[in-house]
Amino acid sequence: MRNYEKGMIEHTQDLTCPTPAYADWQSAFQSAVQASEGNIRDCVRGSWADQVAREGWSPSDIRNHQKTDSWKQLESSFNASCKLSYSYLMRTAFEDAWKKADEACDERRMYVNQLVMGTPFK
């Protein structure tokens, strides 16, 4: 036990993980959320353009459809779909980046005993 305690003291530097820059991550995430709002609007507009082209609606048809409940339902559906898509993209991008930033600590956690005892582990 004494060797382990001694190893912890001697190898403290190797055992210490860098502290992530939480404020920077939060700021980057908030910026991405704000930027995605414009992308979501563009996505909804694109969904409408696809719908109009698929249905072959004229400007007059569009004006008539805008007064219906089905128009509101489609708008809501397009909005939800676009939000979900961008939410997924952002979440996976930030999760992947966070995992990559944490790789050094993963290794330390997996090989903590070898680090403490000063034995090679690779």
Side-chain angles (χ1 to χ4, degrees), residues 5-82:
E5 290 173 1
K6 181 181 174 192
M8 285 182 64
I9 293 167
E10 286 178 10
H11 300 284
T12 298
Q13 189 69 28
D14 296 330
L15 294 167
T16 304
C17 289
T19 303
Y22 294 111
D24 292 343
W25 279 87
Q26 183 178 9
S27 176
F29 184 77
Q30 288 172 336
S31 294
V33 167
Q34 288 174 348
S36 75
E37 290 171 4
N39 292 334
I40 291 168
R41 284 190 299 274
D42 291 344
C43 175
V44 171
R45 277 194 290 272
S47 298
W48 274 119
D50 292 345
Q51 179 75 19
V52 167
R54 221 178 7 261
E55 298 292 334
W57 290 342
S58 68
S60 173
D61 293 332
I62 293 170
R63 282 190 298 277
N64 290 333
H65 283 293
Q66 285 176 328
K67 299 172 188 172
T68 66
D69 286 339
S70 64
W71 182 274
K72 292 174 190 156
Q73 290 171 344
L74 274 174
E75 176 80 22
S76 179
S77 175
F78 292 155
N79 195 37
S81 177
C82 291

